[in-house]
Amino acid sequence: MYKVVKCICIKNLREAKGESEMIKKIAVLTSGGDAPGMNAAVRAVVRTAISKGMEVYGVRRGYVGLLTGDIFQMDERSVTDIIHRGGTILYTARCSEFRTDEGVSKARAKCEELGIEGLVVIGGDGSFRGAADLSAKGMLCIGIPGTIDNDIACTDYTIGFDTAMNTAMELVDKLRDTSQSHDRISVVEVMGRGAGHIAVNTGIACGATDIITQEVPYDINAIANTMLEKKAKGKENFVVIVAEGVGHSVEIAKELELRTGIEARATILGHVQRGGNPTLRDRVEATKMGNYAVELLEQGIGNRVVALKDNQLVDYDIQDALAMKKPYDEKLHRMAETIAF
Ligand code: F6P
């Protein structure tokens, strides 16, 4: 079914009918897990749309708001003072009703009722699946990759990744202080249910002795033995970064303590990584992506995901984007191991 919706372009349809080709009303929503920088993207969508003479609407709580009609008109002042704030002023949610065909039809009907012709969806893969379903029903949808995990295959970068890694890095630095004072092993679990990108980068930035991610098999005995060798050569404390997808951080700490005799503590950083003021990189990327998304809608183009590729903004068909697989940088992982003395 999706093959027919490769790239929806209503401009041509309108021209054929002799109607004005301009998209007049668009909406924006944030969906799935929040990510620092989402507000900057919302701001860019709103301000770009207004600058092009469009009306722009905010949808609260993702697809839930589309179903319940929790939709309000935004103006340039609605997005004042938000570029530096984490979270999302539009709130976010995961919506099970939207996974049904009835739910998608209901949302489509709501958009039609309000005259909304284009929708910008800021979120992750799950949110893009919803956008693809809505596109298949004739709605112009553009996805913007927003998730701290950087696990969207079509893009080199997702909004929130940089802030989350910097937050994790600062927290691990603090743990390292206490780990050093107590000659301990500090096992730190960072977010990333489906991918170890946060873990590997945070591990490198914090000089971790070991990085454990779901993509690279690990051997607890080998890690413990290497720790003992390093201890024999004078190393006094150890930081082990574990990706959330691996789990068992508490058990890993216990196992390491048991095998090495070195006191170990586990810390799960959790949702604190999703909050906080976005970094410069997240604000800038989010702003560029928000602007680009509206430019696509302006041309009557839908069913696309905005992506950063080799430092250039590009866009992909949503289904093609969802079918892509993002490689894990195993070389980076191995490099980190090589220099972790
Ligand atoms: O947004 C991505 C993410 O933070 C994952 O890293 C994590 O596994 C998940 O969301 C947590 O989701 P929730 O907020 O529903 O607990």
Side-chain angles (χ1 to χ4, degrees), residues 22-265:
M22 170 81 181
I23 303 290
K24 296 188 188 75
K25 270 194 198 181
I26 67 163
V28 54
L29 60 80
T30 50
S31 167
D34 63 351
M38 279 184 165
N39 280 328
V42 171
R43 174 179 178 271
V45 168
V46 171
R47 295 256 171 105
T48 307
I50 290 170
S51 77
K52 293 179 183 297
M54 297 174 185
E55 278 181 32
V56 57
Y57 289 77
V59 182
R60 290 195 188 89
R61 296 181 178 83
Y63 295 118
V64 174
L66 216 49
L67 292 170
T68 58
D70 195 355
I71 300 169
F72 62 102
Q73 188 164 3
M74 300 181 84
D75 62 25
E76 52 273 47
R77 296 274 70 81
S78 320
V79 289
T80 293
D81 247 350
I82 66 165
I83 194 166
H84 61 297
R85 280 206 250 143
T88 158
I89 60 157
L90 293 180
Y91 302 86
T92 184
R94 297 188 171 100
C95 178
S96 50
E97 191 184 348
F98 199 75
R99 288 190 208 116
T100 66
D101 190 53
E102 295 75 42
V104 180
S105 299
K106 194 168 151 192
R108 176 74 186 104
K110 180 54 78 182
C111 292
E112 237 159 33
E113 181 192 320
L114 298 173
I116 293 169
E117 302 160 287
L119 178 68
V120 179
V121 173
I122 307 166
D125 277 346
S127 313
F128 295 162
R129 258 173 228 117
D133 292 343
L134 206 48
S135 297
K137 296 208 182 283
M139 182 78 188
L140 293 184
C141 296
I142 304 291
I144 293 182
T147 163
I148 62 163
D149 291 349
N150 202 26
D151 60 350
I152 298 179
C154 70
T155 183
D156 294 341
Y157 192 76
T158 62
I159 297 167
F161 183 48
D162 192 52
T163 307
M165 286 190 300
N166 276 288
T167 301
M169 181 185 74
E170 282 169 24
L171 295 171
V172 176
D173 285 350
K174 290 183 201 293
L175 284 168
R176 196 176 174 149
D177 288 346
T178 165
S179 180
Q180 179 266 320
S181 308
H182 288 263
D183 295 312
R184 277 177 178 159
I185 298 169
S186 197
V187 175
V188 192
E189 182 176 309
V190 299
M191 269 191 165
R193 190 165 42 197
H197 308 302
I198 295 178
V200 70
N201 285 286
T202 305
I204 290 170
C206 296
T209 12
D210 294 278
I211 300 168
I212 305 180
T213 67
Q214 52 269 55
E215 291 89 350
V216 179
Y218 72 99
D219 174 351
I220 198 81
N221 289 318
I223 294 177
N225 290 339
T226 317
M227 276 179 178
L228 288 173
E229 280 165 24
K230 286 173 185 167
K231 192 172 164 63
K233 286 186 191 156
K235 190 161 176 61
E236 294 170 332
N237 61 84
F238 302 84
V239 172
V240 181
I241 302 289
V242 180
E244 180 190 358
V246 174
H248 319 300
S249 312
V250 175
E251 286 73 25
I252 290 173
K254 279 188 194 145
E255 293 294 325
L256 289 175
E257 183 169 313
L258 198 73
R259 285 167 170 77
T260 60
I262 306 167
E263 209 174 20
R265 292 286 186 274

Side-chain angles (χ1 to χ4, degrees), residues 11 13-22:
K11 192 171 160 185
L13 294 174
R14 284 192 160 167
E15 273 169 3
K17 285 202 271 169
E19 292 172 13
S20 152
E21 66 190 46
M22 170 81 181

